[in-house]
Amino acid sequence: FELSSWWRFRDRVQIQTAFTLRQVESLLTLNRNELQQKLSVLWRYDARDSFLFPRKGWNWQADVQSVEGLSTEASDYLIWNHSLTRYQPIGRNGSVAIRSEFGRVYNFTERDPLYAMFRMGTETTVRGWSQSIGKTYLTSDGSAIYAGYAKALFNLEFRFPIWRFIGGEIFLDAGQLNDNFSSTADFAEYYASFGAGLTFRTFIGPIRAEIPLTLQDPAANYSFGKAADVKFILALLYAF
């Protein structure tokens, strides 16, 4: 069940508030489902020239969520996330996209809210890793996941045309997950990757094929210039 309101101002500013009752599968207890109530507020400023193929403008988004368990006391936390992206034209048809993103989870119970904590990796954050960034946590069934209470993420990408509907990209990603922001200024704590790829312009958006390589691995599992968890990426839409 969800009750929400949505306000739009001059086609660029959007504010959405919502109250939600939901039943989710819990990783924290032996219960299969957990009844929760959620209050959320989302702000968005979208001044991009295109949703699918942006070349210039800004995209800013911030949201806050407060979640409390009703059927059990397993969940009680507050989470916020902030993302800012700038698109800058380069030359006749090229562009540079720059993104910074931060998030924080505040937990008010003794159990870690694993389903709500931040995950990092895959084709939209730090390319080359497959959600293997962060601290190791154990779920109720004993399986391990990587997550964190505090997120810091930076992305830089140069996009350029090659021929007709085919384009190219060169990217640099860096991110970390920790218990807090104490190591945000320490670059040695960031998982970082770089790489290149091809983009194919279609009516449903760009399709990209990318090869990510390791720039830095704080866990020392992968050396500079080597492939990490993911050696090849095929995805729909730009990473950001």
Side-chain angles (χ1 to χ4, degrees), residues 9-214:
F9 179 70
R10 293 183 179 177
D11 296 329
R12 293 187 175 183
V13 178
Q14 302 174 29
I15 300 176
Q16 182 177 3
T17 60
F19 170 76
T20 306
L21 288 176
R22 64 182 185 180
Q23 198 166 29
V24 300
E25 184 175 355
S26 178
L27 299 174
L28 308 175
T29 68
L30 297 179
N31 296 331
R32 182 173 178 82
N33 293 289
E34 181 184 5
L35 182 63
Q36 299 176 342
Q37 67 174 12
K38 180 179 74 170
L39 297 174
S40 61
V41 181
L42 169 67
W43 298 268
R44 179 182 293 135
Y45 173 77
D46 191 347
R48 294 173 291 179
D49 60 337
S50 171
F51 169 71
L52 295 177
F53 303 95
R55 285 196 66 231
K56 63 180 180 180
W58 294 87
N59 186 31
W60 171 73
Q61 182 171 304
D63 65 271
V64 179
Q65 300 178 22
S66 175
V67 177
E68 183 177 0
L70 298 178
S71 57
T72 67
E73 296 181 355
S75 296
D76 187 6
Y77 61 88
L78 177 72
I79 179 173
W80 64 262
N81 192 71
H82 174 276
S83 177
L84 179 64
T85 307
R86 169 64 178 172
Y87 303 92
Q88 179 64 45
I90 299 293
R92 184 174 181 180
N93 294 307
S95 64
V96 171
I98 305 172
R99 176 176 68 172
S100 64
E101 187 167 310
F102 297 90
R104 184 72 164 88
V105 178
Y106 299 92
N107 184 35
F108 305 115
T109 66
E110 295 181 356
R111 294 172 175 170
D112 302 301
L114 300 182
Y115 50 80
M117 293 169 65
F118 298 111
R119 312 287 296 278
M120 189 172 289
T122 72
E123 67 274 6
T124 59
T125 54
V126 182
R127 283 164 277 193
W129 276 269
S130 179
Q131 292 193 344
S132 56
I133 297 174
K135 183 179 177 181
T136 304
Y137 292 87
L138 296 178
T139 66
S140 57
D141 62 2
S143 58
I145 66 170
Y146 296 88
Y149 279 97
K151 171 180 66 175
L153 174 67
F154 301 94
N155 305 93
L156 173 65
E157 188 166 287
F158 174 47
R159 303 166 183 169
F160 52 93
I162 295 178
W163 179 72
R164 292 190 177 180
F165 63 90
I166 302 175
E169 58 178 19
I170 301 172
F171 61 85
L172 174 65
D173 303 328
Q176 62 170 250
L177 294 178
N178 284 297
D179 291 336
N180 50 53
F181 291 122
S182 61
S183 61
T184 302
D186 184 2
F187 182 74
E189 293 294 320
Y190 282 84
Y191 289 79
S193 63
F194 68 100
L198 295 175
T199 58
F200 303 89
R201 193 180 185 99
T202 72
F203 70 96
I204 57 174
I207 296 176
R208 52 193 170 94
E210 303 168 332
I211 297 178
L213 300 174
T214 302

